[in-house]
Amino acid sequence: MDKFSSFNLLVKFAIIKKNSHGKKEINMSRLARLKEKMSQEEIDGFLITSPYNLRYFTNFTGTTGLALVTKEQAFFVTDFRYTQQAAKQAQGFEIVKNSGNIFAKVAELVEKNAVHTLAFEEDYISFSEYSLLEELITESSLVPISGLLESLREVKDDQEIARIKQACSIADQAFDHILKMVQPGMTEIEIANQLDFFMRSLGASGVSFETIVASGVRSAMPHGVASNKTIEQSDIITLDFGCYYEGYVSDMTRTFAIGDPGEQLKEIYQIVLDAQLKVIEAAKPGISGIELDAVARDYIASFGYGEAFGHSTGHGIGLDIHEGPNVSMRADKTFVPGNVITDEPGIYLPDVGGVRIEDDLLITSTGNEILTQSPKELIIL
């Protein structure tokens, strides 16, 4: 049995062993999957630098540090400000303190542990950092890799799902709060601030992205972040928002009206809602992102609004607001249980207005579970 196989057996034993906080078991399980990928790619070491991937593999929530994973060991490198925090959070990692340049410490570890091929996240290393690594690491080959670590994050475990569900619950409560207080004369920014502050009051650590409040003709802007526009009678209003809860996001869109928005907008609302519901009906393991995107896209196009639906039907969420797997015309990956995706078709008519409705869906063994529970029928206040 080789060293890598022996290490995997030790990892499995470590997962069985209970830890009072559960962090070590989670970290070791994720490390085991990473090491298996490294073995398949014939990589001796992997340098992890992106904040989301560091959070996933190490549980570290600070702002300075990186991880070096080899076939047999795992190191977390940080400075004196974070060594105590890293020791508590990065269970299963040897904590290494650096007092100079952090990449110089990485080079020392690479040489000491005979890492001949070092993979790095090409999307999260600047050119100057790469140049420095190339200068410091002379006996090893640097291998740029994109998407490998992110692919391991696509299937959520029970703890991740619980956190996403709580983030969705907070967003649902925030929408209910807005419906009770919104009125003509308020500005879009006032509504966004109410949403953001209310979600924080329920335990959110922050917003998933800059909250979108687009009213009247501005609702035809898919990413119309809140402005100073005043809400007027007969405005249709699109809210796209979410929050972070213990590191995981929610992402929900609802469209409602203050007074009657007119027949055309009510018509496209129903088309978008029906398309959105058809995606929910079709979402299950084995269907691809391309196929699921076509469910909404073809339905909307059948009413002559194909050109008015210009974005993808959805995307994955988790630690990041946009991660795999995707629901788009180019997403050929098939869904598996544990994926969490958005379902957000829309129609946007310049100088008229727009409608988008979005839920977060957990792919299950038998289909999907809707995580966002706010009502979707057209609400006219």
Side-chain angles (χ1 to χ4, degrees), residues 179 182-189 191 213-220 227-239 254-263 265-266 269 351-355 378-381:
L179 291 180
V182 66
Q183 58 185 324
M186 294 182 67
T187 66
E188 293 175 348
I189 288 177
I191 294 173
V213 181
S215 62
V217 296
R218 290 191 76 252
S219 61
S227 72
N228 285 315
K229 179 190 174 299
T230 299
I231 304 299
E232 300 175 10
Q233 192 69 24
S234 300
D235 270 356
I236 198 161
I237 305 169
T238 295
L239 306 180
R254 290 294 185 269
T255 301
F256 64 98
I258 302 288
D260 192 332
E263 291 306 311
L265 286 170
K266 286 191 285 188
Y269 189 97
D351 301 320
V352 177
V355 172
L378 178 57
I379 297 172
I380 300 178
L381 301 175

Side-chain angles (χ1 to χ4, degrees), residues 261-273:
E263 291 306 311
Q264 186 175 21
L265 286 170
K266 286 191 285 188
E267 176 193 15
I268 68 169
Y269 189 97
Q270 191 61 49
I271 294 170
V272 170
L273 176 58

Side-chain angles (χ1 to χ4, degrees), residues 8-27:
N8 275 343
L9 288 175
L10 289 173
V11 167
K12 291 176 183 177
F13 177 75
I15 294 170
I16 295 171
K17 239 182 137 179
K18 293 297 179 183
N19 177 280
S20 60
H21 301 291
K23 295 174 184 175
K24 187 169 185 177
E25 290 87 344
I26 292 170
N27 288 353

Side-chain angles (χ1 to χ4, degrees), residues 199-338:
M199 289 190 291
R200 285 183 179 273
S201 76
L202 296 178
S205 59
V207 296
S208 305
F209 50 90
E210 188 171 358
T211 296
I212 292 170
V213 181
S215 62
V217 296
R218 290 191 76 252
S219 61
M221 302 167 59
H223 277 189
V225 296
S227 72
N228 285 315
K229 179 190 174 299
T230 299
I231 304 299
E232 300 175 10
Q233 192 69 24
S234 300
D235 270 356
I236 198 161
I237 305 169
T238 295
L239 306 180
D240 189 346
F241 64 100
C243 70
Y244 269 96
Y245 179 78
E246 294 186 358
Y248 287 80
V249 304
S250 56
D251 185 4
M252 183 174 80
T253 305
R254 290 294 185 269
T255 301
F256 64 98
I258 302 288
D260 192 332
E263 291 306 311
Q264 186 175 21
L265 286 170
K266 286 191 285 188
E267 176 193 15
I268 68 169
Y269 189 97
Q270 191 61 49
I271 294 170
V272 170
L273 176 58
D274 290 342
Q276 206 258 357
L277 292 173
K278 286 180 180 296
V279 170
I280 291 173
E281 184 179 357
K284 61 183 179 180
I287 191 171
S288 72
I290 293 173
E291 293 170 319
L292 196 57
D293 178 83
V295 170
R297 196 166 304 283
D298 292 350
Y299 183 79
I300 289 173
S302 72
F303 289 89
Y305 290 110
E307 294 297 317
F309 178 25
H311 57 74
S312 63
T313 298
H315 55 86
I317 62 170
L319 286 165
D320 197 357
I321 191 60
H322 289 99
E323 59 184 52
N326 291 312
V327 188
S328 75
M329 292 184 286
R330 296 179 297 276
D332 57 1
K333 183 178 289 187
T334 56
F335 301 114
V336 298

